[in-house]
Amino acid sequence: MNLINEKVTHERFGMGSIVKHNDSSIEINFASENKKFVFPDVFGKHLKLHNKIVANSLEKIIEKKEMERKEEEWKKEAEKELQQKKQELRLEHEKLMKNHKLHPESQMVFWCDTEEQNRSFSEWKVFSGVIKSGNNQGKPNKPIRLHQNSAVLLTAIDSDKPEKDRRILGVYMVNEDFIGKLCEDGFIPAHSEYRLQLTEQESDQVLFWKYYVNEKFPHKMTWNTGKYRYFENLWMAQILHDIVSLKSEPKEREQAQQFFEHFCKMNQITEQELPKPNGALLRI
């Protein structure tokens, strides 16, 4: 707005006339000299406009600028809090990485329905599902056992087949910086390198229950509820070892071998000491 020649009264310098102003400063001619002030901060407490209509318009502008200033402060404060939270998460992440102790059952087997089969391999991640009851009902499950050494096994069962025929579709190591305890959204992303998808023919030869067994009911092969369950690191090593032998194409076989070796290194498993599979399917 144009304030040139508008009459004002300053609490200290008395009456004057505005001679210059821009978005950040204003110059006023008083009886003895010209004075510069910060615009629009000088108005309100220190400086009054004589023209009430102009004063009302200016007041609205000042209110708008004050609101913008507060919004900017709120934004900066929110950004500061966000950065602080990120820093706290980084420190917690570093602490968990440094102090991690191997859990003997830190592998996950996931039950894929038809839609999840396609999505899991196109996006290379799975969703752990949501909590069904309690104070945290509706929130994503935290896969708390998963860490750098963990792999996710993707399985499925044809609708016309019994549970014992559950097939292994593929497998991937979790992302190298993934920590299940810190997973808030329930999504478990794959490592950029260590991931394998089996062909249908290969999948038919790698049945899940050849490796997995419920020690309380060693002859039972049931999966009643839940999208996933944890299982032993040794069993995952057995599965990866057998996948290597399935691969006939040299490049794919090499990739599977590298995956197997990396997994064994991360889980402190030696190939020579790896026992033969002894799952429920082999105990019938």
Side-chain angles (χ1 to χ4, degrees), residues 64-149:
K64 184 181 177 184
K65 285 205 169 195
E66 180 63 16
M67 183 56 70
E68 289 173 352
R69 184 185 66 79
K70 285 183 178 179
E71 286 177 355
E72 189 63 28
E73 285 182 359
W74 294 333
K75 193 184 294 183
K76 286 181 180 178
E77 189 63 29
E79 181 63 25
K80 184 179 177 182
E81 289 178 4
L82 179 62
Q83 291 304 321
Q84 186 175 347
K85 187 175 181 181
K86 285 183 178 179
Q87 176 66 8
E88 289 172 356
L89 285 172
R90 274 196 295 270
L91 292 173
E92 187 178 357
H93 188 278
E94 289 171 7
K95 183 179 177 182
L96 287 169
M97 282 290 196
K98 185 178 179 181
N99 300 327
H100 177 63
K101 293 181 181 178
L102 283 177
H103 190 289
E105 296 181 357
S106 55
Q107 312 306 314
M108 174 184 282
V109 55
F110 193 83
W111 180 344
C112 296
D113 59 31
T114 305
E115 182 183 346
E116 287 167 335
Q117 289 180 43
N118 298 324
R119 190 171 65 244
S120 297
F121 291 114
S122 62
E123 300 178 3
W124 280 105
K125 63 181 179 183
V126 293
F127 179 59
S128 60
V130 296
I131 299 169
K132 301 295 185 183
S133 60
N135 294 334
N136 294 319
Q137 183 177 357
K139 291 183 179 180
N141 282 306
K142 280 191 176 185
I144 57 174
R145 287 194 201 171
L146 298 192
H147 211 274
Q148 271 188 316
N149 65 299

Coordinates of all heavy atoms in Angstrom, one line a residue, residues 64-149:
K64 N -1.7 -9.9 9.2 CA -1.4 -11.0 8.2 C 0.1 -11.4 8.3 O 0.5 -12.6 8.3 CB -1.7 -10.6 6.8 CG -1.5 -11.6 5.8 CD -1.9 -11.2 4.4 CE -1.6 -12.2 3.3 NZ -1.8 -11.7 2.0
K65 N 1.0 -10.3 8.4 CA 2.4 -10.6 8.4 C 2.8 -11.3 9.8 O 3.7 -12.2 9.8 CB 3.2 -9.3 8.3 CG 3.2 -8.7 6.9 CD 4.5 -7.8 6.7 CE 4.7 -7.5 5.3 NZ 6.0 -7.0 5.0
E66 N 2.1 -10.9 10.8 CA 2.4 -11.5 12.1 C 2.0 -13.0 12.1 O 2.7 -13.8 12.6 CB 1.6 -10.8 13.2 CG 1.8 -11.3 14.6 CD 3.2 -11.2 15.1 OE1 4.0 -10.5 14.5 OE2 3.5 -11.9 16.1
M67 N 0.9 -13.3 11.5 CA 0.4 -14.7 11.4 C 1.4 -15.5 10.5 O 1.7 -16.6 10.8 CB -1.0 -14.7 10.7 CG -1.5 -16.2 10.6 SD -1.6 -17.0 12.2 CE -2.9 -16.1 13.0
E68 N 1.9 -14.9 9.4 CA 2.9 -15.5 8.6 C 4.2 -15.8 9.3 O 4.8 -16.8 9.2 CB 3.2 -14.7 7.3 CG 2.0 -14.7 6.3 CD 2.3 -13.7 5.2 OE1 3.2 -12.9 5.3 OE2 1.5 -13.7 4.2
R69 N 4.6 -14.8 10.2 CA 5.8 -15.0 11.0 C 5.6 -16.1 12.0 O 6.5 -16.9 12.2 CB 6.1 -13.7 11.7 CG 7.4 -13.7 12.5 CD 7.5 -12.4 13.3 NE 6.5 -12.3 14.4 CZ 6.5 -12.9 15.5 NH1 7.6 -13.8 15.8 NH2 5.6 -12.8 16.4
K70 N 4.4 -16.2 12.6 CA 4.2 -17.2 13.6 C 4.2 -18.6 12.9 O 4.7 -19.6 13.4 CB 2.9 -17.0 14.3 CG 2.9 -15.9 15.4 CD 1.6 -15.7 16.1 CE 1.7 -14.6 17.2 NZ 0.4 -14.5 17.9
E71 N 3.5 -18.7 11.7 CA 3.5 -19.9 11.0 C 4.9 -20.4 10.6 O 5.2 -21.6 10.7 CB 2.6 -19.8 9.7 CG 1.1 -19.7 10.0 CD 0.3 -19.5 8.8 OE1 0.9 -19.3 7.7 OE2 -0.9 -19.5 8.9
E72 N 5.7 -19.4 10.3 CA 7.1 -19.7 9.9 C 7.9 -20.2 11.2 O 8.6 -21.2 11.1 CB 7.8 -18.5 9.4 CG 9.2 -18.7 8.8 CD 9.2 -19.7 7.6 OE1 8.2 -19.7 6.9 OE2 10.2 -20.4 7.4
E73 N 7.6 -19.6 12.3 CA 8.2 -20.1 13.6 C 7.7 -21.5 13.9 O 8.5 -22.3 14.3 CB 7.9 -19.1 14.7 CG 8.6 -17.8 14.6 CD 8.3 -16.9 15.8 OE1 7.5 -17.3 16.7 OE2 8.9 -15.8 15.9
W74 N 6.4 -21.7 13.7 CA 5.9 -23.1 14.0 C 6.5 -24.1 13.1 O 6.8 -25.2 13.5 CB 4.4 -23.1 13.9 CG 3.6 -22.2 14.9 CD1 4.1 -21.9 16.1 CD2 2.4 -21.6 14.7 NE1 3.2 -21.1 16.8 CE2 2.1 -20.9 15.9 CE3 1.4 -21.5 13.7 CZ2 0.9 -20.1 16.1 CZ3 0.3 -20.8 13.9 CH2 0.0 -20.1 15.1
K75 N 6.6 -23.7 11.8 CA 7.2 -24.6 10.9 C 8.7 -25.0 11.2 O 9.1 -26.1 11.2 CB 7.2 -24.0 9.5 CG 7.5 -24.9 8.3 CD 7.5 -24.2 7.0 CE 6.2 -23.7 6.6 NZ 6.2 -23.0 5.3
K76 N 9.4 -23.9 11.6 CA 10.8 -24.1 12.0 C 10.9 -25.0 13.3 O 11.8 -25.9 13.4 CB 11.5 -22.8 12.3 CG 11.8 -22.0 11.0 CD 12.5 -20.7 11.4 CE 12.9 -19.9 10.1 NZ 13.5 -18.6 10.4
E77 N 10.0 -24.8 14.2 CA 9.9 -25.6 15.5 C 9.6 -27.0 15.2 O 10.2 -27.9 15.7 CB 8.9 -25.0 16.4 CG 9.0 -25.6 17.8 CD 10.2 -25.3 18.6 OE1 10.9 -24.3 18.3 OE2 10.6 -26.2 19.4
A78 N 8.6 -27.2 14.2 CA 8.3 -28.6 13.9 C 9.4 -29.3 13.2 O 9.7 -30.5 13.4 CB 7.0 -28.5 12.9
E79 N 10.1 -28.5 12.3 CA 11.3 -29.1 11.6 C 12.4 -29.4 12.6 O 13.0 -30.5 12.5 CB 11.8 -28.1 10.6 CG 13.0 -28.5 9.8 CD 12.7 -29.7 8.9 OE1 11.6 -30.0 8.5 OE2 13.7 -30.5 8.6
K80 N 12.6 -28.6 13.6 CA 13.6 -28.8 14.6 C 13.2 -30.1 15.4 O 14.1 -30.9 15.7 CB 13.6 -27.6 15.6 CG 14.7 -27.7 16.7 CD 14.7 -26.5 17.5 CE 15.7 -26.6 18.7 NZ 15.7 -25.4 19.5
E81 N 11.9 -30.2 15.8 CA 11.5 -31.4 16.5 C 11.7 -32.7 15.7 O 12.1 -33.7 16.2 CB 10.0 -31.3 16.9 CG 9.8 -30.3 18.0 CD 8.4 -30.1 18.4 OE1 7.5 -30.8 17.8 OE2 8.0 -29.2 19.2
L82 N 11.4 -32.6 14.3 CA 11.5 -33.7 13.4 C 13.0 -34.1 13.3 O 13.3 -35.3 13.4 CB 11.0 -33.3 12.1 CG 11.1 -34.4 11.0 CD1 10.3 -35.6 11.4 CD2 10.6 -33.9 9.6
Q83 N 13.9 -33.1 13.2 CA 15.3 -33.4 13.1 C 15.8 -34.0 14.4 O 16.7 -35.0 14.4 CB 16.1 -32.1 12.8 CG 15.9 -31.6 11.4 CD 16.2 -32.6 10.3 OE1 17.1 -33.3 10.4 NE2 15.3 -32.6 9.3
Q84 N 15.3 -33.6 15.5 CA 15.7 -34.1 16.8 C 15.2 -35.6 16.9 O 16.0 -36.4 17.4 CB 15.1 -33.3 18.0 CG 15.5 -33.7 19.3 CD 15.0 -32.8 20.4 OE1 14.5 -31.7 20.1 NE2 15.1 -33.2 21.7
K85 N 14.0 -35.8 16.5 CA 13.5 -37.2 16.5 C 14.3 -38.1 15.6 O 14.6 -39.3 16.0 CB 12.0 -37.2 16.1 CG 11.4 -38.6 16.3 CD 9.9 -38.6 15.9 CE 9.2 -39.9 16.1 NZ 7.8 -39.9 15.8
K86 N 14.7 -37.6 14.4 CA 15.5 -38.4 13.5 C 16.9 -38.7 14.1 O 17.4 -39.8 14.0 CB 15.7 -37.6 12.2 CG 14.5 -37.6 11.3 CD 14.7 -36.9 10.0 CE 13.5 -37.0 9.0 NZ 13.8 -36.3 7.8
Q87 N 17.4 -37.7 14.8 CA 18.7 -37.9 15.5 C 18.6 -38.9 16.6 O 19.5 -39.8 16.7 CB 19.2 -36.5 16.1 CG 20.5 -36.6 16.9 CD 21.7 -37.0 16.0 OE1 21.6 -37.0 14.8 NE2 22.8 -37.2 16.7
E88 N 17.5 -38.9 17.3 CA 17.3 -39.9 18.4 C 17.2 -41.3 17.8 O 17.7 -42.3 18.3 CB 16.1 -39.5 19.2 CG 16.2 -38.3 20.1 CD 14.9 -37.9 20.7 OE1 13.9 -38.5 20.4 OE2 14.9 -36.9 21.5
L89 N 16.4 -41.4 16.7 CA 16.3 -42.7 16.0 C 17.6 -43.2 15.5 O 17.9 -44.4 15.5 CB 15.3 -42.6 14.9 CG 13.8 -42.5 15.3 CD1 12.9 -42.2 14.1 CD2 13.4 -43.8 15.9
R90 N 18.4 -42.2 14.9 CA 19.8 -42.6 14.4 C 20.6 -43.2 15.5 O 21.3 -44.2 15.4 CB 20.5 -41.4 13.8 CG 20.1 -41.2 12.3 CD 21.1 -40.2 11.6 NE 21.0 -38.9 12.2 CZ 20.2 -37.9 11.7 NH1 19.4 -38.2 10.7 NH2 20.3 -36.7 12.3
L91 N 20.6 -42.5 16.7 CA 21.4 -42.9 17.8 C 20.9 -44.3 18.3 O 21.7 -45.2 18.6 CB 21.3 -41.9 18.9 CG 22.0 -40.6 18.7 CD1 21.8 -39.6 19.8 CD2 23.5 -40.7 18.5
E92 N 19.6 -44.5 18.4 CA 19.0 -45.7 18.8 C 19.4 -46.8 17.8 O 19.7 -48.0 18.2 CB 17.5 -45.6 18.9 CG 16.9 -46.9 19.6 CD 15.4 -46.7 19.8 OE1 14.8 -45.7 19.5 OE2 14.8 -47.7 20.2
H93 N 19.3 -46.5 16.5 CA 19.7 -47.4 15.4 C 21.1 -47.9 15.6 O 21.4 -49.1 15.5 CB 19.4 -46.7 14.1 CG 19.6 -47.7 12.9 ND1 20.8 -48.0 12.4 CD2 18.6 -48.3 12.2 CE1 20.6 -48.8 11.4 NE2 19.3 -49.0 11.2
E94 N 22.0 -46.9 15.8 CA 23.4 -47.2 15.9 C 23.7 -48.1 17.2 O 24.5 -49.0 17.1 CB 24.2 -45.9 16.0 CG 24.3 -45.1 14.7 CD 24.9 -43.7 14.9 OE1 25.4 -43.5 16.0 OE2 24.9 -43.0 14.0
K95 N 23.0 -47.8 18.2 CA 23.1 -48.6 19.5 C 22.7 -50.0 19.3 O 23.4 -50.9 19.7 CB 22.3 -47.9 20.6 CG 22.5 -48.6 21.9 CD 21.6 -47.9 23.0 CE 21.7 -48.6 24.3 NZ 20.9 -47.9 25.4
L96 N 21.5 -50.2 18.6 CA 21.0 -51.5 18.3 C 21.9 -52.3 17.4 O 22.1 -53.5 17.5 CB 19.6 -51.4 17.8 CG 18.5 -51.0 18.8 CD1 17.2 -50.7 18.1 CD2 18.3 -52.1 19.9
M97 N 22.4 -51.6 16.4 CA 23.4 -52.2 15.5 C 24.6 -52.7 16.2 O 25.1 -53.8 16.0 CB 23.8 -51.3 14.4 CG 22.7 -51.1 13.3 SD 22.5 -52.6 12.3 CE 21.6 -51.9 10.9
K98 N 25.1 -51.9 17.1 CA 26.4 -52.2 17.8 C 26.2 -53.3 18.8 O 27.1 -54.1 18.9 CB 26.9 -50.9 18.5 CG 28.2 -51.0 19.1 CD 28.6 -49.7 19.8 CE 30.0 -49.8 20.5 NZ 30.4 -48.6 21.1
N99 N 25.1 -53.3 19.5 CA 24.9 -54.2 20.6 C 24.1 -55.5 20.2 O 23.7 -56.2 21.1 CB 24.2 -53.5 21.8 CG 25.1 -52.4 22.3 OD1 26.3 -52.4 22.2 ND2 24.4 -51.3 22.7
H100 N 23.8 -55.7 18.9 CA 22.9 -56.8 18.5 C 23.5 -58.1 18.8 O 24.7 -58.4 18.5 CB 22.6 -56.7 17.0 CG 21.8 -57.8 16.5 ND1 20.5 -58.0 16.9 CD2 22.1 -58.8 15.6 CE1 20.0 -59.1 16.3 NE2 20.9 -59.5 15.5
K101 N 22.7 -59.0 19.4 CA 23.1 -60.4 19.7 C 22.2 -61.3 18.8 O 21.0 -61.1 18.8 CB 22.9 -60.7 21.1 CG 23.9 -59.9 22.0 CD 23.7 -60.3 23.5 CE 24.7 -59.5 24.4 NZ 24.5 -59.8 25.8
L102 N 22.8 -62.2 18.2 CA 22.1 -63.1 17.3 C 21.0 -63.9 18.1 O 21.3 -64.5 19.1 CB 23.0 -64.1 16.6 CG 23.9 -63.6 15.5 CD1 24.8 -64.7 15.0 CD2 23.0 -63.1 14.3
H103 N 19.8 -63.9 17.5 CA 18.7 -64.7 18.1 C 18.6 -66.0 17.2 O 18.7 -65.9 16.0 CB 17.4 -64.0 18.0 CG 16.3 -64.6 18.7 ND1 15.7 -65.8 18.3 CD2 15.6 -64.3 19.9 CE1 14.7 -66.2 19.1 NE2 14.6 -65.3 20.1
P104 N 18.6 -67.2 17.8 CA 18.6 -68.4 17.0 C 17.4 -68.6 16.1 O 17.5 -69.4 15.2 CB 18.7 -69.5 18.0 CG 18.1 -68.9 19.3 CD 18.5 -67.4 19.2
E105 N 16.3 -67.8 16.3 CA 15.1 -67.9 15.5 C 14.8 -66.5 15.0 O 13.7 -65.9 15.4 CB 14.0 -68.5 16.2 CG 14.2 -70.0 16.6 CD 13.1 -70.6 17.4 OE1 12.1 -69.9 17.6 OE2 13.1 -71.8 17.7
S106 N 15.6 -65.9 14.1 CA 15.4 -64.6 13.7 C 15.1 -64.5 12.2 O 15.3 -63.5 11.5 CB 16.6 -63.7 14.0 OG 17.8 -64.2 13.5
Q107 N 14.5 -65.6 11.7 CA 14.1 -65.7 10.3 C 12.5 -65.6 10.2 O 11.9 -66.1 11.2 CB 14.6 -66.9 9.6 CG 16.1 -67.2 9.9 CD 16.9 -66.0 9.5 OE1 16.8 -65.4 8.4 NE2 17.9 -65.7 10.4
M108 N 12.0 -65.2 9.1 CA 10.5 -65.0 9.0 C 10.1 -65.8 7.8 O 10.6 -65.7 6.7 CB 10.1 -63.6 8.9 CG 8.6 -63.4 8.6 SD 8.2 -61.7 8.3 CE 8.1 -61.1 10.0
V109 N 9.0 -66.6 8.0 CA 8.3 -67.2 6.8 C 7.0 -66.5 6.7 O 6.2 -66.3 7.7 CB 8.1 -68.7 7.0 CG1 7.4 -69.0 8.3 CG2 7.3 -69.3 5.8
F110 N 6.6 -66.1 5.5 CA 5.5 -65.3 5.2 C 4.5 -66.0 4.3 O 4.9 -66.7 3.3 CB 5.9 -64.0 4.5 CG 4.8 -62.9 4.5 CD1 4.6 -62.1 5.5 CD2 4.1 -62.7 3.3 CE1 3.6 -61.1 5.5 CE2 3.1 -61.8 3.2 CZ 2.8 -61.0 4.3
W111 N 3.2 -66.0 4.7 CA 2.2 -66.6 3.9 C 1.6 -65.6 2.9 O 1.0 -64.7 3.2 CB 1.1 -67.1 4.8 CG -0.1 -67.9 4.1 CD1 -0.4 -67.8 2.8 CD2 -1.0 -68.7 4.8 NE1 -1.5 -68.6 2.6 CE2 -1.9 -69.1 3.8 CE3 -1.3 -69.1 6.1 CZ2 -3.0 -69.9 4.0 CZ3 -2.4 -69.9 6.4 CH2 -3.2 -70.3 5.3
C112 N 1.9 -65.9 1.6 CA 1.4 -64.9 0.5 C 0.1 -65.4 -0.1 O 0.0 -66.6 -0.5 CB 2.4 -64.8 -0.6 SG 4.0 -64.2 -0.1
D113 N -0.9 -64.5 -0.1 CA -2.1 -64.9 -0.9 C -1.8 -64.5 -2.3 O -0.7 -64.1 -2.7 CB -3.3 -64.2 -0.3 CG -3.2 -62.6 -0.4 OD1 -2.5 -62.1 -1.2 OD2 -3.8 -62.0 0.5
T114 N -2.7 -64.7 -3.2 CA -2.5 -64.5 -4.7 C -2.0 -63.1 -5.0 O -1.1 -62.9 -5.7 CB -3.8 -64.8 -5.5 OG1 -4.2 -66.2 -5.1 CG2 -3.5 -64.8 -6.9
E115 N -2.7 -62.1 -4.4 CA -2.3 -60.7 -4.7 C -1.0 -60.4 -4.1 O -0.2 -59.8 -4.8 CB -3.4 -59.8 -4.0 CG -3.1 -58.3 -4.3 CD -4.1 -57.4 -3.6 OE1 -5.1 -57.9 -3.1 OE2 -3.8 -56.2 -3.5
E116 N -0.6 -60.9 -2.9 CA 0.6 -60.6 -2.3 C 1.8 -61.3 -3.1 O 2.9 -60.8 -3.1 CB 0.6 -61.1 -0.9 CG -0.2 -60.2 0.0 CD -0.5 -60.9 1.4 OE1 -0.5 -62.1 1.5 OE2 -0.7 -60.1 2.4
Q117 N 1.5 -62.4 -3.7 CA 2.6 -63.1 -4.5 C 3.2 -62.2 -5.6 O 4.4 -62.0 -5.7 CB 2.0 -64.3 -5.2 CG 1.7 -65.5 -4.2 CD 1.2 -66.7 -4.9 OE1 1.7 -67.1 -5.9 NE2 0.2 -67.3 -4.3
N118 N 2.3 -61.5 -6.3 CA 2.7 -60.6 -7.3 C 3.4 -59.3 -6.8 O 4.4 -58.9 -7.2 CB 1.5 -60.2 -8.2 CG 0.9 -61.4 -9.0 OD1 1.6 -62.3 -9.3 ND2 -0.4 -61.4 -9.1
R119 N 2.8 -58.8 -5.7 CA 3.3 -57.5 -5.1 C 4.6 -57.7 -4.4 O 5.5 -56.9 -4.5 CB 2.2 -56.9 -4.2 CG 2.6 -55.5 -3.7 CD 1.4 -54.9 -2.9 NE 1.2 -55.6 -1.7 CZ 0.0 -56.2 -1.4 NH1 -0.9 -56.3 -2.3 NH2 -0.1 -56.8 -0.2
S120 N 4.8 -58.9 -3.8 CA 6.0 -59.1 -3.0 C 7.2 -59.1 -3.9 O 8.3 -58.6 -3.6 CB 5.9 -60.5 -2.3 OG 4.9 -60.4 -1.4
F121 N 7.0 -59.6 -5.1 CA 8.2 -59.7 -6.1 C 8.3 -58.4 -6.9 O 9.4 -58.2 -7.4 CB 8.1 -60.9 -6.9 CG 8.3 -62.2 -6.2 CD1 7.2 -63.1 -6.0 CD2 9.5 -62.5 -5.6 CE1 7.4 -64.3 -5.3 CE2 9.7 -63.7 -4.9 CZ 8.6 -64.6 -4.7
S122 N 7.3 -57.7 -7.1 CA 7.4 -56.4 -7.9 C 7.9 -55.3 -7.0 O 8.7 -54.5 -7.4 CB 6.0 -56.0 -8.5 OG 5.1 -55.8 -7.4
E123 N 7.5 -55.3 -5.7 CA 8.0 -54.3 -4.8 C 9.1 -54.7 -3.9 O 9.7 -53.9 -3.2 CB 6.8 -53.8 -4.0 CG 5.6 -53.2 -4.8 CD 4.5 -52.8 -3.9 OE1 4.5 -52.9 -2.7 OE2 3.4 -52.3 -4.5
W124 N 9.3 -56.0 -3.8 CA 10.3 -56.6 -2.9 C 10.1 -56.1 -1.5 O 11.1 -55.6 -0.9 CB 11.7 -56.4 -3.5 CG 12.0 -57.4 -4.6 CD1 12.1 -57.1 -5.9 CD2 12.3 -58.8 -4.4 NE1 12.3 -58.3 -6.6 CE2 12.5 -59.3 -5.7 CE3 12.4 -59.7 -3.4 CZ2 12.8 -60.7 -6.0 CZ3 12.6 -61.0 -3.6 CH2 12.9 -61.5 -4.9
K125 N 9.0 -56.3 -0.9 CA 8.7 -56.1 0.5 C 7.4 -56.8 0.8 O 6.6 -57.1 0.0 CB 8.6 -54.6 0.8 CG 7.4 -53.9 0.1 CD 7.5 -52.4 0.4 CE 6.3 -51.6 -0.3 NZ 6.3 -50.2 0.0
V126 N 7.2 -57.0 2.1 CA 6.0 -57.6 2.6 C 5.5 -56.7 3.8 O 6.2 -56.0 4.4 CB 6.1 -59.1 3.1 CG1 6.4 -60.0 1.9 CG2 7.2 -59.2 4.2
F127 N 4.2 -56.9 4.1 CA 3.6 -56.1 5.2 C 3.3 -57.1 6.3 O 2.6 -58.2 6.1 CB 2.3 -55.4 4.7 CG 1.6 -54.7 5.8 CD1 2.2 -53.7 6.4 CD2 0.3 -55.0 6.1 CE1 1.5 -53.0 7.4 CE2 -0.4 -54.3 7.1 CZ 0.2 -53.3 7.8
S128 N 3.7 -56.8 7.5 CA 3.6 -57.7 8.6 C 2.1 -57.8 9.2 O 1.9 -58.6 10.1 CB 4.5 -57.3 9.7 OG 4.2 -56.0 10.2
G129 N 1.2 -57.0 8.7 CA -0.2 -57.0 9.2 C -0.4 -56.1 10.4 O 0.5 -55.4 10.8
V130 N -1.6 -56.1 10.9 CA -1.9 -55.2 12.0 C -2.3 -56.0 13.3 O -2.7 -57.2 13.2 CB -3.1 -54.3 11.7 CG1 -2.7 -53.4 10.5 CG2 -4.3 -55.1 11.3
I131 N -2.1 -55.4 14.4 CA -2.4 -56.0 15.7 C -3.9 -56.1 15.8 O -4.7 -55.1 15.6 CB -1.8 -55.1 16.9 CG1 -0.3 -55.1 16.7 CG2 -2.2 -55.7 18.2 CD1 0.4 -54.1 17.6
K132 N -4.4 -57.3 16.2 CA -5.9 -57.5 16.2 C -6.6 -57.1 17.5 O -7.8 -56.9 17.5 CB -6.1 -59.0 16.0 CG -5.5 -59.6 14.8 CD -6.2 -59.0 13.5 CE -5.6 -59.7 12.3 NZ -6.2 -59.1 11.0
S133 N -5.9 -56.9 18.6 CA -6.6 -56.6 19.9 C -5.6 -55.8 20.8 O -4.4 -55.7 20.5 CB -7.1 -57.8 20.5 OG -6.0 -58.7 20.9
G134 N -6.2 -55.4 21.9 CA -5.4 -54.7 22.9 C -5.3 -53.2 22.7 O -5.9 -52.6 21.8
N135 N -4.4 -52.5 23.4 CA -4.2 -51.1 23.4 C -3.7 -50.6 22.0 O -4.0 -49.5 21.6 CB -3.3 -50.6 24.5 CG -3.9 -50.8 25.8 OD1 -5.1 -50.8 26.0 ND2 -3.0 -50.9 26.8
N136 N -2.9 -51.5 21.3 CA -2.3 -51.1 20.0 C -3.1 -51.7 18.8 O -2.6 -51.8 17.8 CB -0.9 -51.6 20.0 CG 0.0 -50.9 21.0 OD1 -0.2 -49.6 21.2 ND2 0.9 -51.6 21.6
Q137 N -4.4 -52.0 19.1 CA -5.2 -52.6 18.0 C -5.2 -51.7 16.8 O -5.4 -50.5 16.9 CB -6.6 -52.8 18.5 CG -7.5 -53.5 17.5 CD -8.9 -53.8 18.0 OE1 -9.2 -53.5 19.2 NE2 -9.8 -54.3 17.2
G138 N -5.0 -52.3 15.6 CA -5.0 -51.5 14.4 C -3.6 -51.0 13.9 O -3.4 -50.7 12.8
K139 N -2.7 -51.0 14.8 CA -1.3 -50.6 14.5 C -0.6 -51.7 13.8 O -0.8 -52.9 14.1 CB -0.6 -50.1 15.7 CG -1.1 -48.8 16.4 CD -0.3 -48.4 17.5 CE -0.8 -47.1 18.1 NZ 0.1 -46.7 19.3
P140 N 0.4 -51.4 13.0 CA 1.2 -52.5 12.3 C 2.0 -53.3 13.3 O 2.5 -52.8 14.3 CB 2.2 -51.7 11.4 CG 1.5 -50.4 11.2 CD 0.8 -50.1 12.5
N141 N 2.1 -54.6 13.0 CA 2.9 -55.5 13.8 C 4.4 -55.1 13.7 O 4.8 -54.8 12.5 CB 2.8 -56.9 13.4 CG 1.5 -57.6 13.9 OD1 1.3 -57.6 15.1 ND2 0.7 -58.1 13.1
K142 N 5.1 -55.1 14.7 CA 6.6 -54.9 14.6 C 7.3 -56.2 14.6 O 7.2 -57.0 15.5 CB 7.1 -54.1 15.9 CG 6.8 -52.6 15.8 CD 7.6 -51.9 16.9 CE 7.4 -50.4 16.8 NZ 8.2 -49.7 17.8
P143 N 8.0 -56.5 13.5 CA 8.8 -57.7 13.4 C 10.0 -57.7 14.2 O 11.1 -57.5 13.7 CB 9.0 -57.9 11.9 CG 9.1 -56.4 11.4 CD 8.2 -55.6 12.3
I144 N 9.9 -57.7 15.5 CA 11.0 -57.4 16.5 C 12.2 -58.2 16.4 O 13.3 -57.8 16.7 CB 10.5 -57.3 17.9 CG1 9.9 -58.7 18.3 CG2 9.4 -56.2 18.1 CD1 9.5 -58.8 19.8
R145 N 12.1 -59.5 15.9 CA 13.3 -60.3 15.8 C 14.1 -60.1 14.6 O 15.3 -60.5 14.5 CB 12.9 -61.8 15.8 CG 12.4 -62.3 17.2 CD 12.3 -63.8 17.2 NE 11.4 -64.3 18.2 CZ 11.1 -65.6 18.3 NH1 11.5 -66.5 17.4 NH2 10.2 -66.0 19.2
L146 N 13.6 -59.4 13.6 CA 14.3 -59.2 12.3 C 15.4 -58.2 12.5 O 15.3 -57.1 13.1 CB 13.4 -58.8 11.2 CG 12.3 -59.8 10.9 CD1 11.6 -59.4 9.6 CD2 12.8 -61.2 10.8
H147 N 16.6 -58.5 11.9 CA 17.8 -57.7 12.0 C 18.6 -57.9 10.7 O 18.1 -58.5 9.8 CB 18.6 -58.0 13.2 CG 19.3 -56.9 13.8 ND1 20.6 -56.5 13.4 CD2 19.0 -56.0 14.8 CE1 21.0 -55.4 14.1 NE2 20.0 -55.1 15.0
Q148 N 19.8 -57.4 10.7 CA 20.6 -57.5 9.5 C 20.8 -59.0 9.1 O 21.0 -59.3 7.9 CB 22.0 -56.9 9.8 CG 22.1 -55.4 9.5 CD 23.6 -55.0 9.6 OE1 24.2 -55.3 10.5 NE2 24.0 -54.2 8.6
N149 N 20.8 -59.9 10.0 CA 21.0 -61.3 9.7 C 19.8 -62.0 9.3 O 19.9 -63.2 9.0 CB 21.6 -62.0 11.0 CG 20.5 -62.1 12.1 OD1 20.1 -61.0 12.6 ND2 20.1 -63.2 12.5

